[in-house]
């Protein structure tokens, strides 16, 4: 690394710390918002600091000497959590395998953590307490020409959710064999995504592309498990978070930009998930928008480290989840479980992530890439009552030829 790069790195890290400190201070000093407009203005405090960081980063990094884009570098790909981040040259193939684990624990309403008793006080008989999601993502990419890269992705999902029953709901506890807790599980193949990446800009060290893809509703939305209720613990329909797919055709546009310097790279991606129809269980998950920016640095010829900030906004679910029970027959004035109701979906979240990319660019194993990323939320504002995200880890392998 040159002396000039070291100076830039020091300046950038200092600015990064200042922006994060100011964002945290803004959150701590701002009174709790009581209206939608105030909430939006409050969340924009983080966005403003993030934009400042992004602009300053670009100004610092683009001052480096330009050079031709190199594919045989560990940071030529985005952090492993970012999908559809790069294109290929004509005739190239790539296979990928990702293993992800997400942990969610504790309930949240807006920006405030909630205890189980808070959920029961909101008229629910059952609250989720913990959830883990494990995903195995298989992917393939092929470029029939320099101007187009085709891709397909298919996930295998494994869910587990723990629940707690309201202590005063004695009939339900009795139907649950006298226990106030239970766990539901589901697993299977998710929705198949097919798409194309279209480069539209390339210069020395810089490139950008559009992504156009569709997610096909191949994943099941009829998963069941043993759930306590009338008749005891019997197989019942599970709510949307435990299903394998959305049940809707989805349009997934994206735009990605990457710039590469002598020993640094940075990039950004914006993408959307647009659900095109209500599924056959009479609900439609909310559309979502995500923006992500990252900076990476080569630690050595085959290894790079990255830092990433991501913002995601999701709308509420529309419709109702048919085949679910909404009011227990022994207490019709109360509600069953939070995940059965559409107002408890959607919200916004800001994540911070750190990652490593290891690329083998020599010898018989050349073309193999192993990557790791750890993601933690730094801000969550959730609609209604939902489980809050704690930590996500993803390990990936990619091989191109």
């Amino acid at each position: 690394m040159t002396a000039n790069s070291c100076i830039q790195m020091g300046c950038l890290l200092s600015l990064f710390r200042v922006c994060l400190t100011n964002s945290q201070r803004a959150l701590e000093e701002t009174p709790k918002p009581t209206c939608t407009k105030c909430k939006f203005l409050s969340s924009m405090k983080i966005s403003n600091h993030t934009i400042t960081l992004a602009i300053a980063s670009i100004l610092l990094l683009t001052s480096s000497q330009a050079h031709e884009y190199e594919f045989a570098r560990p940071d030529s790909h985005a952090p492993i959590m970012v999908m559809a981040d790069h294109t290929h040259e004509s005739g190239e193939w790539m296979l990928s395998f990702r293993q992800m684990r997400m942990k969610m624990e504790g309930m949240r309403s807006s920006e405030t953590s909630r205890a189980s008793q808070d959920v029961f006080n909101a008229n629910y008989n059952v609250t989720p307490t913990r959830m883990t999601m494990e995903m195995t993502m298989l992917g393939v990419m092929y470029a029939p020409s320099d101007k187009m890269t085709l891709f397909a992705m298919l996930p295998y999902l494994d869910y587990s959710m723990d629940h707690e029953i309201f202590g005063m709901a004695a009939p339900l506890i009795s139907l649950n064999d006298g226990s106030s807790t239970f766990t539901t599980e589901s697993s299977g193949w998710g929705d198949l995504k097919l798409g194309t990446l279209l480069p539209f800009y390339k210069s020395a060290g810089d490139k950008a592309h559009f992504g156009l893809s569709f997610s096909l509703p191949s994943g099941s939305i009829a998963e069941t498990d043993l759930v306590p209720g009338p008749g005891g613990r019997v197989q019942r329909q599970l709510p949307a978070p435990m299903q394998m797919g959305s049940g809707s055709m989805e349009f997934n546009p994206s735009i990605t930009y990457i710039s590469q310097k002598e020993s640094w790279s940075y990039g950004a991606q914006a993408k959307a998930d647009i659900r095109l129809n209500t599924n056959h269980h009479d609900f439609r998950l909310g559309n979502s928008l995500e923006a992500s920016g990252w900076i990476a640095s080569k630690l050595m010829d085959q290894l790079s480290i990255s830092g990433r900030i991501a913002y995601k906004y999701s709308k509420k679910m529309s419709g109702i989840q048919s085949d679910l029970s909404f009011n227990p027959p022994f207490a019709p004035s109360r509600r069953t479980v939070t995940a059965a109701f559409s107002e408890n979906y959607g919200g916004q979240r800001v994540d911070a992530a750190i990652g490593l990319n290891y690329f083998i660019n020599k010898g018989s194993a050349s073309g193999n890439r192993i990557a790791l990323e750890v993601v933690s939320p730094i801000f969550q504002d959730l609609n209604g009552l939902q489980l809050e995200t704690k930590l996500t880890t993803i390990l990936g392998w990619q091989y191109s030829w």
Side-chain angles (χ1 to χ4, degrees), residues 18 55 64 79 87 91 99 143 153 175 181 189 193 196 208-209 229 238 260 266 277 288 314 333 342 349 380-381 394:
V18 169
I55 294 173
S64 302
T87 58
Q99 186 66 44
M153 294 187 291
L175 292 167
T181 62
W189 293 101
K193 181 176 288 188
T196 182
H209 65 267
L238 296 175
Q260 199 180 76
Y266 64 97
N277 64 285
S288 66
S314 301
S333 63
S342 58
R349 190 177 80 230
Q380 296 183 79
D381 180 8
I394 181 167

Side-chain angles (χ1 to χ4, degrees), residues 8-133:
Q8 291 177 5
M9 179 180 179
C11 293
L12 187 57
L13 291 176
S14 297
L15 182 58
F16 186 78
R17 285 194 296 268
V18 169
C19 288
L20 286 183
T21 300
N22 288 343
S23 295
Q24 183 63 33
R25 187 174 299 150
L27 283 175
E28 293 173 350
E29 293 177 355
T30 302
K32 279 293 178 187
T34 57
C35 65
T36 301
K37 181 179 178 181
C38 296
K39 279 187 177 181
F40 176 77
L41 293 175
S42 176
S43 67
M44 285 301 293
K45 289 180 178 290
I46 291 181
S47 300
N48 289 339
H49 291 299
T50 304
I51 292 170
T52 301
L53 174 61
I55 294 173
S57 302
I58 293 172
L59 291 175
L60 281 170
L61 293 172
T62 53
S63 65
S64 302
Q65 182 179 359
H67 72 291
E68 198 64 29
Y69 195 91
E70 299 177 44
F71 291 93
R73 279 175 48 159
D75 61 335
S76 64
H77 287 196
I80 193 66
M81 185 75 82
V82 182
M83 311 285 186
D85 62 296
H86 66 279
T87 58
H88 288 269
E89 295 180 335
S90 179
E92 287 186 345
W93 287 84
M94 191 191 81
L95 298 177
S96 64
F97 175 92
R98 291 174 170 89
Q99 186 66 44
M100 185 178 79
R101 179 181 175 85
M102 176 186 288
K103 179 180 179 182
M104 308 173 78
E105 186 170 9
M107 296 297 283
R108 191 179 191 90
S109 176
S110 187
E111 300 174 39
T112 305
S113 296
R114 300 293 185 184
S116 294
Q117 189 58 49
D118 295 325
V119 181
F120 301 144
N121 291 343
N123 210 37
Y124 291 96
N125 268 2
V126 176
T127 179
T129 57
R130 185 182 299 105
M131 180 176 180
T132 57
M133 186 274 277

Side-chain angles (χ1 to χ4, degrees), residues 125-127 161-165 171-177 179 181-186 223-239 242-243 323-326 328 330 336-337 339-340:
N125 268 2
V126 176
T127 179
M161 183 183 287
D162 297 336
H163 303 77
E164 182 179 351
I165 301 174
L172 184 57
I173 293 175
S174 177
L175 292 167
N176 192 43
D177 300 327
S179 175
T181 62
F182 67 95
T183 299
T184 56
E185 297 179 342
S186 60
E223 295 297 303
T224 64
D225 200 8
L226 295 175
V227 178
R233 288 174 55 83
V234 299
Q235 292 285 336
R236 306 180 199 275
Q237 172 80 10
L238 296 175
M242 298 294 290
Q243 299 298 331
D323 298 329
L324 291 184
S325 174
F326 300 103
F330 50 82
T336 51
V337 63

Side-chain angles (χ1 to χ4, degrees), residues 190-212:
D191 291 343
L192 173 65
K193 181 176 288 188
L194 301 173
T196 182
L197 305 177
L198 305 170
F200 67 90
Y201 174 77
K202 185 176 181 180
S203 65
D206 302 280
K207 61 176 187 173
H209 65 267
F210 291 116
L212 300 173

Side-chain angles (χ1 to χ4, degrees), residues 151 153 191-196 211-217 248-253 274 276:
F151 71 91
M153 294 187 291
D191 291 343
L192 173 65
K193 181 176 288 188
L194 301 173
T196 182
L212 300 173
S213 65
F214 286 90
S215 184
L216 310 180
S248 303
M249 178 74 78
E250 298 179 16
F251 176 49
N252 315 114
I274 303 170
L276 302 178

